[in-house]
C-alpha cells in the first residue's frame, strides 16, 4: 500500500531520518544481539543484519513509508528505529520501534513513536494504528500504554507470542487535543 | 535524503529495473518454492520474502547500485533478478542473477546477466567482479561460462561450499 510519508521528522531530541551505510555498525549491535533483537524478528550475523537494514531502507522505495533510523540530535548517535509498516495479517498499519541498549529508559521510544503517530494520523490521514508486542517486552508495552494503546488479543499465528495493541483512532485523539 | 534512482535497461526480451510492490505475488511465489530458492539461501515465509524484496531496494539506496528486478517484456511478469551487489559479509563485489524455475531454459538468465555485466562495467566502472555459484547449480555455471567468466577457486559461503567465478570487465 503506497503511502508517502515525510522522509524526515524532527522532535525535540531526535531526528527520524532515512538509512545510511554508516548506520550499519551500530545497527549490527542492535540486530546482532540476541537479547536486543528477540522482539524485532530475531538476531543474526553480519549478512543477516545487512539484509534487515537494507530491508528497512528499501521498504521506503516500495511503499513510500517504513522504519526511520533514529538519530540523537545532540551528538548524532544512532539510537535505533521507529516507523510504520503494513503486515499481511493485520487490519491496520503497525507502529513499531526498537532502541539500542544505551538509549533505553530516556523516553526516546515514546518521543519517536508519538511523532510518527501524529504524522500518520494528522498529515497522512491514516485512521488507526496498532502495535504487536511480545508479552515479555515490558518496556515496549509501557511505551504503548503511554500512547493510550489498549490490549486487544493474542496473535496466536505468529512464531513468537505477540499481543495486539490498538491505539485510539485518529479522530478520537484529535477530539481530545 | 532522496531514495536511490534505479535506471531501466531494456534487452531484446527483458526489462531490468526497480523492484515494485506489483512484483510481489510472483516474488512471494518464488520464495515459497524450495526448488527455486535452493541456491539463494532457501525458501522462506511471505514476510521474509517481503523483507528480501525491500532489502534489494535498500541495497540500491545504501550502495548506489544493486540487483535489478527482471521482467519479461511480453507478459509484464517478474521472472527473477540480475545485477551488481555487495552486501556486508560478501567476499567481493558480485554479479548475481536468479530466475524463477518456470522461466528457465530460454536464455533469459544469460540475457539479463549480460545486461547487468555491461551496466557494472559501463555505468559503475567495475574492472572485475565475482559470481558466487553453488557447486551443484549447473544452469548458473553455464550462464557464467557464456558471459566469459572463468572458474577461480572453491570457497565456503554461509558454511557451504561455493564456486567463485571471475569476470574481467575491461
Amino acid at each position: 500500500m503506497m503511502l508517502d510519508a515525510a522522509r524526515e521528522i524532527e522532535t525535540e531530541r531526535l531526528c527520524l531520518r532515512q538509512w545510511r551505510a554508516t548506520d550499519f555498525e551500530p545497527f549490527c549491535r542492535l540486530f546482532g544481539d540476541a537479547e536486543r533483537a528477540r522482539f524485532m524478528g530475531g538476531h543474526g550475523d553480519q549478512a543477516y543484519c545487512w539484509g534487515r537494514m537494507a530491508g528497512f531502507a528499501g521498504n521506503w522505495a516500495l511503499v513510500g513509508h517504513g522504519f526511520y533510523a533514529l538519530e540523537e540530535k545532540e551528538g548524532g548517535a544512532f539510537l535505533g528505529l521507529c516507523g510504520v509498516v503494513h503486515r499481511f495479517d493485520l487490519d491496520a498499519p503497525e507502529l513499531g520501534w526498537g532502541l539500542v541498549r544505551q538509549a533505553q529508559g530516556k523516553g526516546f521510544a515514546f518521543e519517536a513513536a508519538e511523532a510518527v503517530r501524529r504524522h500518520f494520523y494528522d498529515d497522512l490521514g491514516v485512521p488507526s494504528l496498532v502495535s504487536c508486542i511480545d508479552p515479555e517486552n515490558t518496556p515496549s508495552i509501557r511505551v504503548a500504554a503511554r500512547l493510550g494503546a489498549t490490549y486487544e488479543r493474542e496473535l496466536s499465528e505468529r512464531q513468537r507470542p505477540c499481543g495486539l495493541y490498538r491505539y485510539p483512532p485518529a479522530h478520537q485523539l484529535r477530539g481530545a487535543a | 535524503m532522496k531514495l536511490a534512482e534505479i535506471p531501466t535497461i531494456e534487452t531484446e526480451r527483458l526489462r531490468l529495473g526497480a523492484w515494485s510492490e506489483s512484483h510481489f505475488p510472483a516474488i512471494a511465489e518464488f520464495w515459497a518454492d524450495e526448488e527455486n530458492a535452493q541456491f539463494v539461501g532457501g525458501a522462506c515465509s511471505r514476510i521474509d520474502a517481503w523483507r528480501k524484496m525491500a532489502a534489494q531496494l535498500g541495497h540500491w539506496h545504501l550502495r548506489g547500485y544493486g540487483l535489478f528486478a527482471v521482467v519479461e517484456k511480453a507478459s509484464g511478469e517478474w521472472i527473477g533478478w540480475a545485477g551488481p551487489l555487495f552486501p556486508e559479509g560478501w567476499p567481493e563485489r558480485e554479479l548475481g542473477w536468479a530466475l524463477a524455475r518456470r522461466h528457465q531454459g530460454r536464455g533469459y538468465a544469460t540475457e539479463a546477466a549480460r545486461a547487468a555485466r555491461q551496466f557494472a562495467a559501463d555505468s559503475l566502472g567495475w574492472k572485475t567482479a565475482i559470481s558466487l555459484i553453488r557447486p551443484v547449480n549447473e544452469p548458473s555455471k553455464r550462464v557464467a561460462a557464456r558471459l566469459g567468466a572463468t572458474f577461480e577457486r572453491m570457497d565456503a559461503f554461509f558454511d557451504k561450499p561455493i564456486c567463485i567465478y571471475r569476470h574481467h570487465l575491461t
Side-chain angles (χ1 to χ4, degrees):
Chain A
M1 181 185 151
M2 199 66 195
L3 188 63
D4 249 317
R7 297 292 190 251
E8 269 189 38
I9 298 175
E10 264 197 49
T11 67
E12 191 196 338
R13 296 176 296 163
L14 300 171
C15 179
L16 287 69
R17 59 157 174 78
Q18 295 299 305
W19 296 83
R20 298 175 188 153
T22 48
D23 295 327
F24 188 62
E25 201 198 318
F27 183 86
C28 279
R29 285 202 292 273
L30 186 55
F31 277 85
D33 178 337
E35 183 56 33
R36 293 275 76 203
R38 73 184 170 122
F39 302 133
M40 297 183 284
H43 74 293
D45 60 9
Q46 232 192 5
Y48 169 82
C49 289
W50 172 268
R52 290 300 303 274
M53 188 173 116
F56 291 131
N59 202 72
W60 284 86
L62 277 171
V63 291
H65 61 279
F67 276 98
Y68 297 89
L70 294 187
E71 183 180 300
E72 191 171 11
K73 278 197 205 167
E74 191 186 326
F78 174 86
L79 299 184
L81 66 169
C82 179
V84 169
V85 288
H86 285 77
R87 303 265 181 222
F88 304 111
D89 56 349
L90 298 178
D91 64 351
E94 179 182 357
L95 177 61
W97 55 83
L99 293 181
V100 300
R101 197 177 291 270
Q102 58 273 28
Q104 275 207 308
K106 297 171 182 166
F108 285 136
F110 174 80
E111 186 171 326
E114 202 270 331
V116 169
R117 181 175 68 176
R118 188 164 356 106
H119 176 53
F120 276 74
Y121 273 1
D122 296 355
D123 306 329
L124 303 178
V126 169
S128 76
L129 289 166
V130 297
S131 285
C132 301
I133 309 176
D134 189 296
E136 290 176 20
N137 188 355
T138 316
S140 277
I141 292 174
R142 215 173 289 142
V143 171
R146 259 186 92 187
L147 289 164
T150 48
Y151 174 81
E152 196 167 288
R153 65 187 165 92
E154 191 67 16
L155 293 166
S156 50
E157 60 281 8
R158 296 273 176 117
Q159 281 174 344
R160 285 192 56 87
C162 195
L164 178 67
Y165 291 79
R166 195 173 294 274
Y167 297 97
H171 66 88
Q172 245 178 55
L173 285 187
R174 268 199 297 276
Chain B
M1 183 189 282
K2 245 173 75 107
L3 294 164
E5 296 274 352
I6 302 178
T8 303
I9 302 171
E10 298 235 359
T11 65
E12 191 197 337
R13 296 175 295 167
L14 306 173
R15 189 177 300 112
L16 284 68
W19 301 68
S20 112
E21 192 176 7
S22 63
H23 303 150
F24 188 63
I27 291 169
E29 188 191 315
F30 176 96
W31 285 107
D33 179 330
E34 185 54 45
E35 220 174 304
N36 269 329
Q38 62 178 324
F39 302 128
V40 286
C44 66
S45 70
R46 204 172 153 81
I47 283 183
D48 283 338
W50 176 274
R51 282 183 184 156
K52 283 174 192 281
M53 171 176 72
Q56 299 315 333
L57 283 161
H59 188 295
W60 275 94
H61 173 68
L62 295 165
R63 294 277 199 242
Y65 56 85
L67 292 173
F68 294 95
V70 178
V71 169
E72 185 182 42
K73 282 204 273 192
S75 64
E77 200 183 330
W78 179 93
I79 62 165
W81 65 77
L85 71 156
F86 188 41
E88 283 287 336
W90 250 235
E92 224 181 289
R93 293 191 288 199
E94 180 182 10
L95 282 176
W97 57 82
L99 206 59
R101 199 147 52 90
R102 57 198 167 88
H103 297 286
Q104 283 173 359
R106 289 139 84 182
Y108 279 167
T110 306
E111 189 170 324
R114 187 169 281 140
R117 182 185 188 279
Q118 196 174 349
F119 173 79
D122 297 350
S123 302
L124 304 178
W126 286 13
K127 307 279 184 245
T128 185
I130 57 169
S131 286
L132 298 161
I133 304 178
R134 294 286 177 207
V136 288
N137 187 356
E138 294 301 334
S140 261
K141 287 183 185 173
R142 284 196 291 276
V143 171
R146 281 190 207 108
L147 294 181
T150 50
F151 174 75
E152 188 171 282
R153 65 177 198 276
M154 292 298 295
D155 211 323
F157 191 58
F158 292 101
D159 303 324
K160 282 195 253 171
I162 197 94
C163 304
I164 297 197
Y165 282 76
R166 170 73 54 189
H167 303 267
H168 298 284
L169 301 178
T170 46

